[in-house]
Amino acid sequence: MSHIRKIAVFTSGGDSPGMNAAIRAVVRTCAYLQVDCIGIFRGYQGMIEGDFMPMDARSVNNIINKGGTMLKSARSDEFRTKAGRKKAYEQLQANEIDAFVVIGGDGSFTGAIKFSEEYHVPFIGIPGTIDNDIWGTQLTVGYLTALNTVVDAIDKIRDTASSHHRLFFVEVMGRDVGHIALNTGIGAGAEEILIPEEDLGLERLLDSLKRSKARGKSSSIVVVAEGDRTTGKNVYELKEYVEENLPIYDVRVCVLGHMQRGGSPSCTDRVIASRMGVKAVEWLLEGRTNFMTGINENIIIATPISEAIKGKTKLDKELIRISDILTV
Ligand code: F6P
């Protein structure tokens, strides 16, 4: 018999499509197992301020298909302070909350670890970020939807690029890693892909663009990960550099930005989020704490959060190899 009678759930950091499906799964699993559930608005900031709402199975009607997060999200500076975490603990105590599920990325998990070191409140993390940059899971909630959103956007850019015989630099999100760039670059048929994990080099980029002209390609798309520092230039500087060194190209820049985080989650994201939400509650009731739900070979696995925040899921080097072949 578990001593946990009330579980809180919240989303923290950058939102991602599928967070609502994860919230729904946590709330409904609590209802199914007859444990009280509290939603916390605005992540850790809401925890500090006591911005709580009791939730039952009906509180999460009609959200599985919605992007964003019904509980809102925030990055809280106050929670980084000892005083902020003390206030948060007092709010949990006052509301008789025994454990929590945090849906977010590595920053949110780091906060949870710090908090549990000080106050020993059991928690489970669900990886929710479009970046897919968390160790211990092959997929984070929202990543696959973001890939589709980006490919859809690049397909549209391709229409105009080919109509005007232009070269586009398309910057995509991903923070410090190139998962989104590499996969969407292949999926959208980009000429080149610039990612932090692989130094293409400016010379090779120019050579490749020259070659593609010589091979009769009239337009090109280069996907650039926002975290790429390998060329020492941002997308706007790359545009200038290419225009100076390869005047044959008429270059444009498109920074996709936050549209990548929005939209209705894909079916797979909804299923992953649902599976993780159920496990998070089951694990808490089994007495597990400080773990992250992950998915590996289609099985839900548990990784200690302390390990999850240390590493990053590695890029598949085979994808880098095939992207070189396919731009021939
Ligand atoms: O972590 C998700 C993410 O969208 C990153 O890809 C991006 O670098 C960052 O969040 C943007 O953060 P913000 O919404 O605070 O501008």
Side-chain angles (χ1 to χ4, degrees):
M1 193 59 188
S2 170
H3 70 281
I4 292 176
R5 303 302 316 144
K6 198 186 276 183
I7 294 175
V9 59
F10 59 93
T11 47
S12 168
D15 63 325
S16 68
M19 279 185 162
N20 277 325
I23 295 168
R24 174 180 178 270
V26 169
V27 172
R28 293 224 167 143
T29 308
C30 284
Y32 184 81
L33 297 173
Q34 298 181 335
V35 176
D36 288 340
C37 189
I38 293 279
I40 301 179
F41 287 102
R42 296 178 295 116
Y44 291 112
Q45 195 55 39
M47 192 188 279
I48 290 169
E49 294 170 21
D51 198 356
F52 300 166
M53 172 178 76
M55 296 181 89
D56 63 21
R58 295 288 73 77
S59 318
V60 288
N61 284 352
N62 303 323
I63 64 164
I64 193 162
N65 55 332
K66 300 265 183 350
T69 155
M70 71 166 287
L71 290 176
K72 316 298 173 195
S73 195
R75 305 188 200 275
S76 170
D77 287 335
E78 198 179 351
F79 194 76
R80 289 178 215 276
T81 67
K82 228 178 165 38
R85 291 191 294 275
K86 183 166 179 285
K87 278 192 213 161
Y89 179 65
E90 285 164 0
Q91 293 285 6
L92 295 187
Q93 289 276 84
N95 288 274
E96 298 176 327
I97 293 166
D98 303 311
F100 64 86
V101 177
V102 48
I103 306 165
D106 54 0
S108 310
F109 294 164
T110 304
I113 289 178
K114 189 87 201 139
F115 188 62
S116 83
E117 281 166 7
E118 291 165 353
Y119 297 109
H120 311 286
V121 180
F123 76 95
I124 296 290
I126 296 179
T129 163
I130 62 165
D131 301 334
N132 205 36
D133 60 348
I134 301 178
W135 177 255
T137 188
Q138 286 177 335
L139 296 169
T140 55
V141 172
Y143 169 61
L144 293 178
T145 303
L147 293 186
N148 287 334
T149 302
V150 172
V151 164
D152 188 46
I154 300 178
D155 286 349
K156 290 179 173 129
I157 292 168
R158 175 181 292 283
D159 290 344
T160 176
S162 79
S163 300
H164 287 267
H165 291 187
R166 279 176 175 158
L167 163 64
F168 269 83
F169 284 102
V170 181
E171 185 189 280
V172 300
M173 280 186 168
R175 206 178 281 277
D176 306 321
V177 299
H179 288 287
I180 295 179
L182 182 57
N183 283 273
T184 60
I186 291 174
E191 202 53 44
E192 282 299 347
I193 305 167
L194 304 183
I195 49 175
E197 295 85 348
E198 178 88 346
D199 188 357
L200 178 70
L202 282 172
E203 279 314 306
R204 266 182 62 200
L205 174 65
L206 285 186
D207 284 350
S208 151
L209 293 173
K210 272 186 216 155
R211 253 183 288 125
S212 83
K213 267 276 184 226
R215 285 172 183 152
K217 296 190 185 181
S218 58
S219 63
S220 291
I221 288 163
V222 176
V223 174
V224 185
E226 65 170 344
D228 179 59
R229 305 278 177 269
T230 58
T231 59
K233 298 189 187 300
N234 65 35
V235 271
Y236 298 102
E237 292 162 347
L238 279 172
K239 168 184 160 46
E240 281 172 23
Y241 180 81
V242 170
E243 280 177 337
E244 271 164 31
N245 291 278
L246 276 181
I248 39 166
Y249 274 108
D250 182 17
V251 191
R252 293 291 184 275
V253 168
C254 184
V255 176
L256 294 185
H258 287 79
M259 58 99 73
Q260 296 164 88
R261 291 222 304 247
S264 178
S266 69
C267 181
T268 309
D269 265 327
R270 297 179 197 191
V271 173
I272 292 170
S274 299
R275 293 174 69 185
M276 289 182 175
V278 171
K279 278 286 181 211
V281 174
E282 287 176 347
W283 288 351
L284 283 172
L285 297 182
E286 284 163 15
R288 272 189 182 185
T289 179
N290 295 48
F291 280 95
M292 181 192 79
T293 59
I295 186 154
N296 189 27
E297 308 291 339
N298 205 25
I299 292 170
I300 300 293
I301 55 167
T303 301
I305 288 264
S306 52
E307 280 177 30
I309 57 166
K310 274 193 212 136
K312 303 258 180 231
T313 309
K314 296 266 172 311
L315 270 199
D316 183 351
K317 295 278 177 191
E318 175 64 1
L319 290 184
I320 298 177
R321 191 181 77 81
I322 71 160
S323 83
D324 286 343
I325 294 174
L326 296 175
T327 52
V328 67

